[in-house]
Amino acid sequence: MLKMKMKSKNECAGRMNALEVKGLTKIYPEFTLDKVSFCVPQGHISGLIGRNGAGKSTTLKGILRLIAAEGNVAVFGKDIIKDEMAVKQMIGYVGGGFRYYPMNALAAIRKAYEPFYPTWNQDKYEKFLAQFGLSERKKVKELSEGMKVKFALALALSHGAKLLIMDEPTSGLDPLSREEFCDIILQLVREEGVSVLFSTHITSDLMRVADDIVYLSQGKILAACPLKELLGKYRLGRFASLAEAAEAKAIGIKSVKDGYEGLLPRGTRRSNHVTVGEATIDNIIVHLEKANEEKRYAEAD
């Protein structure tokens, strides 16, 4: 596993954090979530990233205690096991997809949801419905994917949740709906004071809203740091030949249309055989994953 020491500005100690995860571990026969630790600072939006199977959903389920996992989780300083009821009142969860019977009216869903939360605020709920252009008379089948996400947000926020945890909330949304979602999240952070942790594969959404990145690879934390720090760590090198890329010690070298490319740590001396540009989140993920894959094959041999 390629290691990156990038946690200095996102350490959990010495500051108020909305979420602190320490040593979260879950062992399956074919996969291990291995001592995952990170925090979400209060008022921040943190993106949870990684390829399919990296452990993103397992991490979120472990945090929420939807699966049995070892490790410690605290929300605004309260232990999720010792103060379970208080903590769950502070969390709003929006899962991937919208798993309600399609013929249900939104009013019926709200009536089933409300009793679980003593802090339910009907006035706030109605404010969100109006803001999002929702009617309780609508049935689930009549909602677009974007409207379903808005309704899930309205439910999550109407019991006073201060931490939003979302699993692939923009999956399946068209670009305009994703942009509207990002606008809503930014507004909620600024005006409602919520903190956010959300998993996604859509890196343009991260660039739009995220303060911090938690990067998982094969069940391990590869980076947990501010987004700007991750982007600032590497540049993208492009080479005419594989030999030139290898000579420059580029990370995760791969063939592309016009030659080869790989990551170069920022500050690397530039040779005459390389064209250097800014690395995107996609570039960083692709090349780091390729480097890790090559290392695994080498160790297996």
Side-chain angles (χ1 to χ4, degrees):
M1 176 70 67
L2 189 66
K3 296 293 184 181
M4 296 196 295
K5 298 293 185 181
M6 295 199 298
K7 301 183 183 181
S8 60
K9 295 183 182 177
N10 196 21
E11 293 287 357
C12 293
R15 65 186 306 170
M16 172 55 74
N17 293 295
L19 175 67
E20 297 182 7
V21 180
K22 297 179 182 179
L24 192 66
T25 301
K26 177 66 177 178
I27 300 174
Y28 292 107
E30 302 295 329
F31 174 78
T32 297
L33 189 70
D34 190 7
K35 299 181 179 65
V36 165
S37 300
F38 65 92
C39 61
V40 177
Q42 186 175 1
H44 279 218
I45 301 172
S46 295
L48 181 62
I49 63 173
R51 68 188 303 174
N52 287 338
K56 299 187 299 298
S57 291
T58 302
T59 296
L60 296 183
K61 290 175 182 176
I63 290 170
L64 295 165
R65 293 305 191 238
L66 298 177
I67 58 173
E70 297 179 3
N72 299 311
V73 176
V75 176
F76 292 100
K78 293 184 179 293
D79 185 273
I80 199 167
I81 295 177
K82 295 177 182 177
D83 299 296
E84 181 178 6
M85 292 306 296
V87 167
K88 288 187 175 178
Q89 294 297 315
M90 292 189 285
I91 295 175
Y93 175 64
V94 178
F98 194 77
R99 300 177 182 88
Y100 291 107
Y101 182 61
M103 295 303 294
N104 274 352
L106 302 191
I109 296 170
R110 186 261 303 164
K111 289 174 182 176
Y113 188 92
E114 179 183 348
F116 290 98
Y117 296 96
T119 54
W120 180 265
N121 187 321
Q122 184 65 19
D123 290 339
K124 180 174 280 193
Y125 171 73
E126 291 174 3
K127 184 197 84 169
F128 282 122
L129 288 188
Q131 178 184 341
F132 297 158
L134 294 166
S135 168
E136 278 203 327
R137 294 189 297 274
K138 289 272 190 180
K139 294 181 179 179
V140 171
K141 70 173 186 176
E142 298 174 308
L143 301 183
S144 67
E145 292 304 310
M147 298 300 274
K148 290 174 183 177
V149 171
K150 289 179 183 178
F151 181 61
L153 282 172
L155 290 175
L157 292 162
S158 295
H159 59 81
K162 288 300 181 182
L163 172 64
L164 277 179
I165 295 179
M166 300 184 284
D167 192 2
E168 301 282 354
T170 58
S171 177
L173 300 188
D174 62 74
L176 287 176
S177 295
R178 293 205 319 271
E179 181 73 9
E180 188 177 10
F181 168 84
C182 290
D183 289 341
I184 290 169
I185 294 303
L186 288 171
Q187 180 185 1
L188 291 172
V189 171
R190 291 168 181 164
E191 298 182 6
E192 300 289 331
V194 301
S195 307
V196 179
L197 173 65
F198 75 106
S199 66
T200 185
H201 287 107
I202 304 172
T203 55
S204 60
D205 293 345
L206 295 173
M207 295 301 296
R208 177 86 168 79
V209 302
D211 299 297
D212 307 301
I213 292 295
V214 179
Y215 176 16
L216 280 174
S217 181
Q218 288 196 300
K220 296 177 183 288
I221 290 283
L222 202 58
C225 62
L227 172 59
K228 289 181 180 178
E229 186 177 336
L230 178 61
L231 292 173
K233 187 173 179 66
Y234 299 103
R235 301 193 78 187
L236 185 67
R238 294 184 175 88
F239 307 86
S241 71
L242 181 59
E244 290 170 358
E247 182 182 355
K249 297 181 179 178
I251 299 168
I253 301 167
K254 68 186 295 292
S255 176
V256 293
K257 182 178 179 181
D258 299 320
Y260 296 84
E261 68 177 29
L263 293 181
L264 296 171
R266 192 174 290 269
T268 301
R269 274 186 81 179
R270 186 186 305 186
S271 73
N272 296 327
H273 305 295
V274 59
T275 301
V276 177
E278 296 300 317
T280 66
I281 299 178
D282 285 340
N283 294 145
I284 291 170
I285 292 173
V286 166
H287 290 285
L288 290 183
E289 290 294 335
K290 191 171 193 309
N292 282 330
E293 190 173 286
E294 290 168 351
K295 185 175 181 180
R296 289 196 301 272
Y297 288 150
E299 290 172 347
D301 290 342

